[in-house]
Amino acid sequence: MKELVSILDGNTFLVSDRRGDIEPSYDFPTGLFSFDTRFLSSWVLTLDGERLHALSVDDTESYRTKFFLAPGEPTHYLDAKASVIRSRAIVGSFEEELTVLNHTGAEVEFTVRIEIAADFADLFEIKHPRQKRGQTTVSVSTDELRLTYRREAFHRETLVKTSAPAQVDATGMTFRIRIARNSKWTTRLHVSSVVYGARGEDIRATLPYGGSRSADEIRAEQQELIDRAPKLGCDCQPLAGAYRRSLNDLAALRYESIALGVRLIAAGLPWFMTLFGRDSIITSLQVLPFLPELVPPTILMLAGLQGHRVDDFRDEEPGKILHELRYGETAGFEEQPHSPYYGSADSTPLFVILIDEYERWTGDAALVRRLEPQVRAALEWIDTYGDLLGTGYLWYQTRNPETGLQNQCWKDSWDGISYADGQLPSFPRATCELQGYAYDAKVRAARLARTFWNDPEYADRLEREAADLKHRFDRDFWIADRGYYALALDADGRQVDALTSNIGHLLWSGIVDESRAAKVVEHLLGPRLFSGWGVRTLAEDEGRYNPIGYHVGTVWPFDNSIITWGLWRYGFRDEAGIICDAMLAASEFFDGRLPEAFAGYAHDLTEYPVEYPTACSPQAWSTGTPLLLLRVILGLEPQGEHLIIDPAVPPGMGRVELLDIPGRWGMVDALGRSRGPEDQPRDG
């Protein structure tokens, strides 16, 4: 696969090759995208009919990039008579400044050509091409190329303007230029992507950040968010670099929802630049101690779109929290069910967990009281629609076998849930972590009911149900002769016996019996699951294990962050530190930006984490991973009006201090260090 370069501002992003060129592709999402539509599918530069080659790429900022190029083959660079600089940015629209430099001692004529096309492909069409059902038209003027796509009320447009005289035709722009010796020529190209609404105007125009912004405005806005985060001082360069990169990427991934006009965090570039239930909730949990103000918009958006009816096509049910919200053509014409789609069984209990965790950090009782009906509806869904077989467990099976997701847990690829021998279980399925989430949701909701809703009877009931679930879960999921919890139960109640990373989520939820915890930890840190770079999704001796299989052997940073949180919860500080150390070591090979996933090869086989070929980067819950790891390293835990600090600092990490942690207790500081006999946990 070609090495790609991406820039983004919210959910508008551009992916090109290292020359800055975009070529039509249905293999990977190159192009200019906004709200799930590709507005540029071709953007190819030539100089005197020749393609250019990259000398260097400056991509240190998320929203802009500079390409330094030369014509001809690399062997000719030594005697290049000209070079080209492409400076581009996503600033609401897409802007590119094109500069041609003449390095000779004489005046030279050049022909500069940019091939331009827009296929208006829906993001879903990149992986699954289909015949377009609308019509594309092209109009040309002296300095403007307009490409328009219409399908009934669905109307999108790409408008390209230039600041220099050009010959504009239906496939691009040609500049015939003359440059004096040792001089340069420049033009500025402006590309607008228009998402038309019912009133014939760009539906983003009325949003607070909907119009074009300058690079300085974007930089200032992102820096304002970064400046609000706690300041990290530490001796560990990988931790410092990952923390800094995470804050930058979180700032860049924020986008405005068309529905409510609030700022949300997109789940991941390039495939998931929208709101997700599971991903957005987990990212919110990761960032809470650092940037709590990012969380309420996600909570309110998910609450506002909570399911209220039975809709087989969308897998919607009353009380259920959505899985994914899309804005493209296939969702608009119901060729995909993502308007929104509710096909996840875990987003609903995770929603309850997030609301409780948010209050514990911020003391925002008003939000908890405001959302009491939504939390109660979510808990009701767990006990009714979620319990498909009436066994007291949380199950899933899609209502939409045509276009719905088969697996509706976080390992939602078709083969993500399997027996140890590789066979696939029948539906419905009850994966283990779903039961942990349901348990935790009930325990936390009991606190909310007793403290904020003045309903102690409901609280007592929830606590009884949680205790009963914990008892039954231990009985039905524990595989005694192997010493770990089953991945799932199948439709017949049989244990799906593969050894997976899911058991680490059980520690985080608190559903694991104390007597089982050490054995679970032994498996998580054992060679079958732990690669040395992190915990694999599936143990290496299982039937479907593949070190580069999406959910069957890769290492997922977010998964490891949840596991470390669980290890810390059960008191396994050293083991939590080992995974933290491994994740941070891996982050160095990705310039501090942990990707969606990387290969599960063992550390003694490769001295660097091997890239997964189509991983999203940046991806929100991978971006949030260093923040949650830092929380674990410092041992930060809110308890009422106090912040408990109980470090799990990896050996050799040295000084770690976080200044001005926001929360209900005011701004406090936390200090962690490599542990010795003089280091004791302290109450912040």
Side-chain angles (χ1 to χ4, degrees):
M1 190 177 76
K2 296 179 181 178
E3 187 175 357
L4 302 179
V5 178
S6 61
I7 53 174
L8 74 152
D9 177 34
N11 74 346
T12 299
F13 64 96
L14 185 143
V15 181
S16 71
D17 63 23
R18 288 187 60 80
R19 296 172 292 195
D21 286 341
I22 299 167
E23 297 183 82
S25 170
Y26 283 103
D27 297 324
F28 45 87
T30 54
L32 172 66
F33 292 83
S34 187
F35 284 88
D36 297 322
T37 297
R38 178 157 62 185
F39 287 88
L40 281 178
S41 52
S42 289
W43 186 261
V44 177
L45 175 66
T46 58
L47 186 68
D48 289 339
E50 283 190 286
R51 297 289 293 273
L52 302 166
H53 296 270
L55 300 173
S56 181
V57 179
D58 177 3
D59 58 352
T60 55
E61 294 184 281
S62 60
Y63 60 93
R64 64 182 181 182
T65 307
K66 184 175 289 188
F67 301 85
F68 296 87
L69 311 167
E73 295 301 321
T75 54
H76 299 160
Y77 289 171
L78 186 64
D79 299 315
K81 301 298 190 292
S83 64
V84 176
I85 302 173
R86 305 175 83 168
S87 300
R88 63 175 47 160
I90 298 291
V91 286
S93 55
F94 164 49
E95 292 185 352
E96 178 163 287
E97 184 179 84
L98 181 61
T99 302
V100 182
L101 298 96
N102 174 13
H103 301 304
T104 70
E107 185 178 74
V108 180
E109 293 183 356
F110 295 102
T111 299
V112 178
R113 171 74 178 173
I114 298 181
E115 296 288 339
I116 304 169
D119 63 1
F120 299 98
D122 187 292
L123 194 62
F124 282 98
E125 296 177 279
I126 306 301
K127 292 182 178 180
H128 306 288
R130 66 178 178 88
Q131 184 69 36
K132 294 295 285 184
R133 299 180 184 180
Q135 183 177 8
T136 299
T137 57
V138 181
S139 61
V140 171
S141 65
T142 54
D143 64 346
E144 178 181 291
L145 176 62
R146 185 183 299 265
L147 302 103
T148 303
Y149 179 78
R150 288 181 181 269
R151 179 183 172 190
E152 299 177 24
F154 188 87
H155 182 189
R156 302 290 186 265
E157 190 168 82
T158 301
L159 179 62
V160 185
K161 292 185 176 182
T162 175
S163 64
Q167 294 176 327
V168 184
D169 57 57
T171 60
M173 295 180 172
T174 302
F175 304 87
R176 304 192 188 283
I177 62 176
R178 186 186 298 271
I179 307 177
R181 64 188 187 90
N182 299 318
S183 296
K184 65 183 180 180
W185 168 89
T186 298
T187 187
R188 183 175 291 274
L189 298 152
H190 182 91
V191 182
S192 300
S193 57
V194 187
V195 180
Y196 282 102
R199 298 178 181 177
E201 61 181 14
D202 191 332
I203 57 180
R204 299 165 296 176
T206 58
L207 300 176
Y209 297 92
S212 293
R213 296 177 288 161
S214 70
D216 288 341
E217 288 173 323
I218 292 176
R219 184 190 303 109
E221 184 204 346
Q222 292 186 0
Q223 191 61 48
E224 180 185 3
L225 178 75
I226 293 166
D227 289 343
R228 292 202 301 268
K231 305 302 180 287
L232 174 64
C234 67
D235 299 325
C236 176
Q237 184 52 44
L239 176 58
Y243 182 71
R244 183 170 56 251
R245 188 63 181 262
S246 289
L247 294 178
N248 288 334
D249 285 342
L250 285 169
L253 284 167
R254 290 176 303 160
Y255 80 101
E256 283 186 292
S257 161
I258 290 176
L260 296 179
V262 296
R263 301 297 296 279
L264 304 169
I265 296 176
L269 187 151
W271 302 111
F272 308 124
M273 297 299 285
T274 185
L275 174 71
F276 274 69
R278 173 193 310 120
D279 300 49
S280 299
I281 291 169
I282 288 178
T283 303
S284 295
L285 289 167
Q286 293 170 323
V287 307
L288 246 178
F290 306 90
L291 291 166
E293 64 269 34
L294 294 183
V295 176
T298 295
I299 292 176
L300 292 171
M301 188 72 168
L302 294 175
L305 294 172
Q306 188 173 30
H308 65 277
R309 62 183 177 180
V310 174
D311 183 336
D312 290 348
F313 178 64
R314 293 177 177 80
D315 268 324
E316 180 181 358
E317 293 160 345
K320 198 175 185 182
I321 298 300
L322 66 80
H323 170 59
E324 182 178 357
L325 175 64
R326 292 288 183 175
Y327 305 93
E329 180 181 351
T330 59
F333 287 92
E334 297 193 347
E335 293 156 359
Q336 296 285 345
H338 299 79
S339 56
Y341 179 55
Y342 292 83
S344 64
D346 51 5
S347 56
T348 305
L350 288 170
F351 172 73
V352 178
I353 291 167
L354 175 60
I355 290 174
D356 173 74
E357 188 75 5
Y358 171 74
E359 190 285 326
R360 292 172 71 228
W361 274 100
T362 65
D364 188 353
L367 186 65
V368 172
R369 294 190 177 100
R370 174 182 173 185
L371 295 180
E372 178 184 351
Q374 287 83 359
V375 175
R376 286 180 181 265
L379 294 164
E380 180 71 11
W381 177 86
I382 291 171
D383 291 337
T384 55
Y385 293 99
D387 186 5
L388 288 172
L389 298 184
T391 60
Y393 291 127
L394 185 50
W395 303 80
Y396 63 80
Q397 181 173 11
T398 183
R399 292 176 172 271
N400 177 1
E402 299 273 329
T403 54
L405 282 171
Q406 294 182 52
N407 278 316
Q408 300 194 351
C409 54
W410 86 261
K411 294 177 179 175
D412 58 6
S413 53
W414 69 274
D415 62 346
I417 306 300
S418 66
Y419 296 102
D421 64 3
Q423 297 297 308
L424 301 180
S426 56
F427 290 98
R429 297 171 179 172
T431 58
C432 64
E433 81 284 357
L434 292 179
Q435 318 319 314
Y437 300 160
Y439 167 81
D440 196 20
K442 292 193 173 189
V443 170
R444 289 172 180 265
R447 185 186 79 89
L448 301 181
R450 185 171 287 115
T451 307
F452 302 104
W453 304 338
N454 193 28
D455 195 344
E457 291 184 6
Y458 186 43
D460 290 344
R461 192 192 100 193
L462 289 170
E463 287 172 343
R464 287 194 302 271
E465 291 173 354
D468 177 64
L469 174 57
K470 185 172 184 176
H471 172 75
R472 287 185 291 104
F473 175 81
D474 189 67
R475 179 193 67 202
D476 295 340
F477 279 77
W478 184 253
I479 307 176
D481 61 339
R482 304 187 195 179
Y484 60 83
Y485 289 100
L487 169 59
L489 298 182
D490 65 16
D492 298 319
R494 293 183 302 155
Q495 294 175 337
V496 180
D497 57 348
L499 174 61
T500 68
S501 63
N502 299 51
I503 59 176
H505 291 233
L506 300 176
L507 293 172
W508 170 57
S509 72
I511 200 172
V512 174
D513 188 277
E514 291 283 350
S515 65
R516 313 284 199 202
K519 198 67 179 174
V520 170
V521 174
E522 182 182 329
H523 283 291
L524 287 168
L525 274 297
R528 297 170 65 197
L529 278 176
F530 188 64
S531 72
W533 296 110
V535 179
R536 302 180 180 97
T537 45
L538 182 65
E540 65 176 351
D541 55 353
E542 300 296 303
R544 284 193 176 270
Y545 173 74
N546 179 348
I548 52 172
Y550 195 53
H551 289 131
V552 291
T554 49
V555 173
W556 286 60
F558 108 85
D559 188 26
N560 279 260
S561 75
I562 295 294
I563 292 168
T564 60
W565 197 359
L567 292 167
W568 182 90
R569 175 172 183 166
Y570 275 76
F572 293 91
R573 304 292 191 267
D574 292 338
E575 291 81 0
I578 289 170
I579 298 178
C580 289
D581 202 34
M583 280 287 105
L584 294 171
S587 73
E588 285 197 283
F589 292 90
F590 299 104
D591 295 325
R593 175 189 282 170
L594 285 165
E596 177 185 17
F598 53 85
Y601 296 114
H603 196 301
D604 59 7
L605 184 63
T606 171
E607 295 183 359
Y608 53 88
V610 175
E611 293 187 42
Y612 181 76
T614 58
C616 289
S617 183
Q619 193 191 43
W621 62 10
S622 292
T623 292
T625 289
L627 306 187
L628 183 48
L629 297 180
L630 180 55
R631 173 178 175 173
V632 170
I633 288 168
L634 291 171
L636 305 180
E637 181 69 15
Q639 290 189 9
E641 299 302 318
H642 300 280
L643 178 64
I644 304 302
I645 302 173
D646 187 5
V649 184
M653 179 166 283
R655 176 184 62 96
V656 182
E657 59 184 10
L658 201 60
L659 306 179
D660 298 331
I661 304 167
R664 63 196 307 167
W665 40 81
M667 303 293 281
V668 300
D669 300 340
L671 176 68
R673 57 178 64 84
S674 294
R675 282 171 290 168
E678 73 283 0
D679 295 316
Q680 299 294 327
R682 63 186 179 90
D683 188 332

